[in-house]
Amino acid sequence: LSRGKRKGCRAKMSSAAQFKPNIARIAAQTGSKHLRYGQHAKKPPQPIKIWKIVRGDEVAVISGKEKGKRGKVVKVYRSELRVLVQGVNIVKKHLKPQSEGAQGTIKTMEAPIHVSNVSLIDPIQKVPTRVKFGFLEDGTKVRIAKKSGAIIPKPPESQRRMYPRPDGGDKDTPPDVAIKKTVSERDELMHEAMKKLTILGPKCDFLREIAQIDQEQKAAWLQEKQRRMAERAQKMKQ
C-alpha cells in the first residue's frame, strides 16, 4: 500500500478502537463473565417497594407453563423478585455422592418462579385477583381484593420469623452493671490534672467566664429595661 492509503487505514482503525466499548468494564459492572462484543448487558431487576404477596399466601399461577396451578407460598426471594410455591415448577436436581462408594441421586424439588407469574386468590370468588391496600377504622393496613372487595388477611406464617433472633444469654451485660461507675477516684484526679495541662482546660474556663459575663450583662439590661418602663408608666399617669 502507498503511504496515503496506509494513513487512511490507521485513521479508520483508531476511530473503531475509540468507539469500541470496554467489555471488561461492562462485565465487571453487570457481574457477567462471558460478555462478548456486541452483546447487551442485562439490566438488574428493579426492586419492589411494597410486596403484596407474603409467605403463607395461597396463590394461583396466571402465566407460563404452570398456568392454572395453585399452591402455598413457601418462601419469598425479594432480591430476585421470585417466590417459591408448593407443588409448582417441579424440577429435578442431580446431587453428587456425599461419601466414597455412594451413588449420586436425583432429587425432585420446587424451583422459584417470578412474582409477576402468580396472583393472590379472592377469598369469596376463589379466582385470581389484583390487590389494593386500604385502612380499617383503627388505622390497620390491610389487603383488599379488587374483584369482590373482601379483605385478604395475612397468614400467621408471615408474622413469624424464618430465622428467630437469638435470645439474651450470659454474655449480655445486665443494666445495673452497664450504668455502674467503674472509674476510680485516682483516675478522675489524674484526668482533671491532665485537662489543666492541655489547652482544653484554659479554653473551657475562658468560655465559662464569657458565658457568666453575658448572663450578668443580660440581667443588667433587663433591670434597666424594667426601670425605663416603670418611669414611662408614671409619666403617663401624671
Side-chain angles (χ1 to χ4, degrees):
L1 295 174
S2 62
R3 187 174 181 182
K5 290 184 178 180
R6 279 185 289 179
K7 283 186 178 181
C9 293
R10 289 175 185 174
K12 289 181 181 179
M13 290 175 63
S14 62
S15 62
Q18 182 179 0
F19 291 103
K20 185 176 180 180
N22 190 346
I23 300 175
R25 177 176 56 82
I26 297 174
Q29 291 176 357
T30 57
S32 176
K33 298 180 180 179
H34 307 286
L35 189 65
R36 298 178 180 178
Y37 179 69
Q39 290 182 342
H40 297 283
K42 292 184 179 180
K43 294 182 180 179
Q46 297 296 326
I48 299 175
K49 295 182 180 179
I50 301 175
W51 277 72
K52 298 178 181 178
I53 297 176
V54 296
R55 180 163 43 94
D57 279 332
E58 290 289 337
V59 296
V61 182
I62 58 176
S63 63
K65 63 180 182 179
E66 304 286 339
K67 183 178 180 180
K69 290 187 178 181
R70 299 190 179 189
K72 185 179 179 181
V73 178
V74 180
K75 193 173 181 181
V76 178
Y77 301 91
R78 299 200 174 189
S79 60
E80 302 174 8
L81 305 182
R82 293 180 175 272
V83 291
L84 186 68
V85 184
Q86 187 176 7
V88 176
N89 196 18
I90 303 297
V91 296
K92 292 183 178 181
K93 186 175 182 180
H94 297 260
L95 301 177
K96 294 181 179 180
Q98 301 294 329
S99 59
E100 295 183 1
Q103 293 183 354
T105 58
I106 300 175
K107 184 179 179 181
T108 303
M109 57 190 300
E110 297 97 350
I113 60 175
H114 201 270
V115 68
S116 63
N117 295 344
V118 298
S119 178
L120 288 171
I121 299 174
D122 193 304
I124 296 178
Q125 300 183 9
K126 303 299 181 182
V127 293
T129 177
R130 298 182 68 183
V131 179
K132 65 179 181 180
F133 286 106
F135 294 91
L136 300 178
E137 294 180 356
D138 58 351
T140 307
K141 190 176 182 180
V142 294
R143 300 177 297 177
I144 301 174
K146 286 190 175 183
K147 286 227 180 238
S148 62
I151 295 175
I152 304 176
K154 285 190 176 182
E157 290 89 342
S158 64
Q159 306 298 330
R160 295 194 298 266
R161 296 178 62 90
M162 290 192 65
Y163 306 101
R165 295 175 180 174
D167 298 331
D170 299 335
K171 294 184 179 181
D172 291 346
T173 306
D176 55 346
V177 178
I179 63 176
K180 186 177 179 181
K181 186 177 179 180
T182 57
V183 181
S184 61
E185 295 182 359
R186 181 173 175 275
D187 292 339
E188 288 186 354
L189 293 174
M190 187 178 295
H191 182 64
E192 293 294 333
M194 293 295 293
K195 280 175 63 176
K196 292 179 181 178
L197 294 175
T198 58
I199 193 173
L200 185 60
K203 185 177 180 181
C204 290
D205 296 338
F206 176 70
L207 294 175
R208 197 178 298 111
E209 291 176 1
I210 291 178
Q212 187 175 0
I213 292 171
D214 290 342
Q215 290 179 359
E216 293 176 356
Q217 290 180 355
K218 188 175 182 180
W221 178 78
L222 288 174
Q223 290 179 1
E224 182 67 21
K225 184 178 180 180
Q226 291 175 359
R227 186 182 63 78
R228 290 180 181 178
M229 290 177 66
E231 290 179 357
R232 189 178 300 172
Q234 287 180 1
K235 289 181 181 180
M236 290 177 66
K237 289 180 180 179
Q238 294 176 0

